[in-house]
Structures are given as C-alpha cells and as structure tokens.
Amino acid sequence: MCLAIPGKVVSVEGNKAEVEFGGVVKEVRIDPLEEEVEAGDFILNHAGFAITTVSEEDVLKRKEELDNLESGVE
Amino acid sequence: MKALEFRDRKRTKELLSQIEREMPGRRVKVMHVCGTHESTICRYGLREALPENLELVQGPGCPVCVTPTERVDEAVELSKKDGVIVATFGDMTRVPGSSESLVADGKNVRIVESIEDAAKMETDKEVVFFGVGFETTASTYAPVLLEEHEGFSFLGSVRRIPPAMNFLLEECGTNVDGFIAPGHVSVIIGSEAYREVVDRHGKPVVVGGFEPLDVLSSVLKLIRSIKGESKLVNDYGRAVDEEGNEKAQILIERAFEVKESNWRGLGDIPDSGLELKNEENDARKKFDLDIGKDETRPEGCICEEIITGQSKPDECELFAGGKCDPRNPVGPCMVGSEGMCNVWYRYGGT
C-alpha cells in the first residue's frame, strides 16, 4: 500500500507532471512536494502523487555508505 | 531506473556475513511495519539467508489488514444504495466484511488507481471513495479532499503508524528487540516521529528502504543498536529526513483531525486515526451510517496474531491447509498485496 515507485520527470505543468516509469509515461500530481521539480528530476510516486524527490547525489552517497558498512562507518 | 536499485549479489553476501558476525549470542526479534518490507524479504529470500536466531516479523504495516470489519461493512452498505458508486483501490474490494465483500455485489463498485480518479469520475451518481492507508496515502488524499468536487464524498480508514508502535509495546506486550520503520510513511512524517519509541521504550528504530541491500543494511544497524545504546537511525536518507515532508504534513493537518481509531487485531488506539475534518464530505455522516464495532473473526483465521507479530502465516491452519488463498481469502492478511499471508503465498514465505 505504501509502495512508492521512482520515476523521471518529463515535463511539468501546474500541479501535475508527466513522469516516466520504465518507459511508460503517466501523469502524476506534484502538490505534496516541498521542492519544485523540472524535467530530468527523479520523484517517488505513491498512488498518483509524488511524495518526495530523490537526487542522484543521494543515491551515490548511499552506494558509498553501503560499501563502508563492514567498518561500522555510518 | 537501475541507478536506484541496490541489489548487488556480492554486496548482499558480504552484508549477510557481516550480520552473522555481529549477531549477539542470543535470539533477536525484529519487527518491521510495512508490507513492502515483507515483499522484499520474501521476494529475495532474505529471511532464509539471515541467521537462524534472527526472527523477522511483520507488525501492523498493511492498511488493508488493519481496517476493521465494520468499515468494510459500511462500504458494502453504501455500494447497495441507488445512486451511489463506491470507488476504491483493488485490494479493498475483496476484503471480507462480516457477511460479504464489496466484490460480492460489485455493480456499484469501481476500482481506481488514485483518489483523484474517483473525484473526477464522470457519472451522475454520488461517488464515495473508500480510502484506507497510513500517512503516506493520507498525503495523497488530503489535496483532493481540500478541493471542491461535486457529488463526491469520502469513507476513510486512515491511520498513523507511530501510535500503533507505542501501543504494541505498552498494551499488547509485544516483545521485540527493535523496529525497522516503514520508509515511505517516514518520507511524510520524518524519522524523528519515532523518537518516543526509542526514548520512552528503549527500543531501537531504524528507518529502512525497500531494496534488498537496504533491508540488510537496516538489520545490521538495528543489531548494532540492540547491542549498544538504543538509537534512532535513518537508513533511508535518499528519501527521508528528520522532519519529513512538511508540506504534506500541513495538507494532512488541514484535511484530517487526529482521533482514536479502532485497528483490527489491536483495538482502539488513542491518537492513531485521521478523521476527515470536513463533515460535508464525510460519507459516514452524509449517509448516516451507524455500524457499531464488529468483532467477527473468521473461524480458524489468525490474522490478528499476524498483525501483532505474534504469529506467522505458516502457523495458520487455513494457510497451511490450502484453505485460504488470494482467490478465496478468509482473512484480510491474504487479500492485500501487503498482507503477510498474501506475500507468503506469492513468494513462498522466506
């Protein structure tokens, strides 16, 4: 139920965005988002609404963190 | 979208070895509170791969499963009224009420993918959206409920997760060593929302993501916290921050009021419900629905024990005996795709 799927913003108009999910483009409402988004940004979609953005920088940071888990570095 | 996947086989093995090395010399019981976590655990066989003395249970993390019978009965009653269409997510149409499910009647029921689909349905009938969910889904309901929609009302079963975690520890005698908190609920409410669980109950909480490496990382961090000082850890930093999505929180506060709520398997939990503020849109008031609490429980069904983390599906004689499956669900845990029985049925349970 709380499943949220990452998608890439294709275009934005008002409180809606066209978002691509693995090749399929769907309309998603973006009014719950705190930050403005533009084409190329990644969002998490839950039941037709974007609930947050995910940045490439945060993803890379996570990869690095997972590589250092054995040492206990968090 | 590969960049957002954390499923590397080599890293998975390394993390599993690390967990094995760091396990305390005793049994550890961890509760996660999300059906999507259970799906990851079963789909990737994590439970089987983790140390034998590490028990992973699912708590009340499936909104379909914790919706009480009387709310389903209200939706069924509405679906039988002339001039009314009940719109809801697919799972909710098959949840058994006290005598039937929404799908049993069917003609005045529509499956939708979002509340907006329901609000904008072209029909001359009154559309009642039967909406269940936790804070994540509440953040999608709120914007639509704050808009004007002609011939549209809401029958809600919307809940807050942290009060249920506290209630499990305080009132249900739930004996767990720590929690993996639901990542997408936490996107909305923020990791600090679990502070009470850690500070008052001394139970560590790790906010976890949903990729297999995310789950293993959260298990490892939870074990470290169990062995040391109980901590609140945000292990899903790419989506969750301490304060959460404050804009979504404001939308929820404008649309909903925090009240006591009845959870299947748990009973009345103070401050755990989100009730609609605008009574004009509240289907329960609009149609004068007055169905009292219904404690009906299907014979042999142990959904209530599963929801509270006391049992697992293979301990249910209906599940084990092949008498409950997604096509003919006896209890709600077999219906929802986030219900533990449904997940175990699909992925084989480990």
Side-chain angles (χ1 to χ4, degrees):
Chain A
M1 190 77 200
C2 293
L3 184 68
I5 308 289
K8 190 175 186 178
V9 176
V10 177
S11 62
V12 178
E13 195 173 338
N15 67 348
K16 290 184 174 164
E18 297 277 317
V19 180
E20 186 204 330
F21 302 94
V24 178
V25 175
K26 285 193 77 171
E27 192 176 83
V28 170
R29 278 185 60 164
I30 55 172
D31 23 356
L33 286 181
E34 288 183 296
E35 53 282 268
E36 293 201 350
V37 287
E38 56 185 39
D41 289 341
F42 287 96
I43 57 98
L44 286 181
N45 167 50
H46 172 69
F49 289 73
I51 55 168
T52 191
T53 54
V54 181
S55 73
E56 195 178 346
E57 188 189 349
D58 287 340
V59 171
L60 292 173
K61 201 168 135 192
R62 177 61 169 165
K63 283 189 192 300
E64 196 178 319
E65 188 198 17
L66 286 168
D67 284 339
N68 290 316
L69 267 179
E70 281 92 337
S71 60
V73 175
E74 286 177 16
Chain B
M1 218 39 68
K2 286 279 178 201
L4 294 177
E5 292 177 356
F6 296 93
R7 301 175 187 173
D8 180 76
R9 188 182 292 264
K10 184 167 165 278
R11 292 296 302 139
T12 302
K13 283 185 177 170
E14 287 166 357
L15 266 181
L16 283 165
S17 301
Q18 191 66 24
I19 290 168
E20 183 87 48
R21 278 195 292 276
E22 295 197 25
M23 274 295 285
R26 65 173 177 89
R27 194 162 184 79
V28 169
K29 186 171 180 178
V30 171
M31 177 178 276
H32 68 79
V33 196
C34 183
T36 312
H37 277 141
E38 186 61 27
S39 292
T40 302
I41 289 163
C42 289
R43 188 176 175 191
Y44 296 97
L46 300 184
R47 193 175 272 113
E48 197 175 53
L50 282 163
E52 265 185 44
N53 58 344
L54 178 76
E55 187 183 1
L56 271 177
V57 294
Q58 177 174 345
C62 159
V64 172
C65 309
V66 299
T67 297
T69 309
E70 63 266 21
R71 200 81 338 122
V72 178
D73 287 344
E74 287 169 352
V76 169
E77 189 175 315
L78 281 173
S79 76
K80 291 178 175 173
K81 287 186 186 294
D82 286 336
V84 172
I85 287 175
V86 173
T88 190
F89 297 132
D91 286 353
M92 284 314 295
T93 62
R94 294 182 298 114
V95 179
S98 58
S99 60
E100 58 188 319
S101 68
L102 274 172
V103 84
D105 175 29
K107 66 179 189 299
N108 287 340
V109 178
R110 303 284 184 277
I111 293 173
V112 291
E113 289 184 11
S114 75
I115 187 174
E116 191 174 43
D117 291 349
K120 294 192 169 166
M121 197 177 285
E122 287 185 15
T123 173
D124 54 3
K125 294 183 175 177
E126 167 89 8
V127 176
V128 178
F129 180 72
F130 181 24
V132 307
F134 299 127
E135 294 93 331
T136 327
T137 320
S139 78
T140 76
Y141 295 161
V144 174
L145 292 170
L146 292 167
E147 296 164 353
E148 294 280 333
H149 290 281
E150 194 79 16
F152 175 73
S153 49
F154 183 75
L155 176 66
S157 179
V158 190
R159 290 151 204 286
R160 302 170 66 227
I161 284 285
M165 290 165 70
N166 285 315
F167 190 82
L168 278 169
L169 297 169
E170 284 163 21
E171 306 293 335
C172 304
T174 299
N175 185 19
V176 294
D177 294 289
F179 291 95
I180 296 177
H184 292 142
V185 164
S186 309
V187 163
I188 305 300
I189 65 176
S191 58
E192 277 299 312
Y194 306 99
R195 177 60 63 192
E196 195 179 344
V197 178
V198 181
D199 288 352
R200 200 160 98 201
H201 301 290
K203 300 290 181 188
V205 175
V206 177
V207 176
F210 300 96
E211 292 291 323
L213 286 178
D214 284 327
V215 172
L216 293 179
S217 164
S218 295
V219 168
L220 180 59
K221 289 181 178 178
L222 200 55
I223 286 168
R224 287 176 178 168
S225 194
I226 287 166
K227 291 201 306 184
E229 189 186 343
S230 281
K231 282 197 300 190
L232 176 55
V233 178
N234 178 10
D235 198 32
Y236 193 29
R238 64 187 186 278
V240 175
D241 62 25
E242 284 187 2
E243 305 306 325
N245 180 338
E246 291 180 48
K247 188 176 172 195
Q249 289 169 22
I250 290 167
L251 287 167
I252 291 170
E253 277 169 28
R254 284 175 56 207
F256 295 102
E257 193 173 346
V258 172
K259 288 202 170 165
E260 181 176 272
S261 182
N262 181 27
W263 295 51
R264 189 192 293 256
L266 292 162
D268 292 329
I269 305 181
D271 300 331
S272 70
L274 291 170
E275 298 280 339
L276 201 56
K277 275 187 180 167
N278 182 356
E279 295 192 355
E280 285 175 20
N281 282 345
D282 189 337
R284 224 167 282 137
K285 300 210 166 57
K286 204 170 194 173
F287 293 95
D288 200 22
L289 293 173
D290 188 20
I291 294 180
K293 260 191 213 172
D294 188 320
E295 309 289 346
T296 311
R297 175 179 171 147
E299 203 179 327
C301 175
I302 63 163
C303 272
E304 296 189 2
E305 286 78 6
I306 289 170
I307 289 164
T308 49
Q310 298 169 69
S311 297
K312 296 202 194 71
D314 57 356
E315 294 165 54
C316 175
E317 57 186 49
L318 298 176
F319 182 97
K323 291 175 184 158
C324 179
D325 62 45
R327 285 191 176 190
N328 295 295
V330 178
C333 297
M334 185 55 92
V335 177
S337 57
E338 303 233 315
M340 197 175 193
C341 297
N342 183 290
V343 175
W344 279 44
Y345 184 90
R346 283 183 288 134
Y347 296 118
T350 52

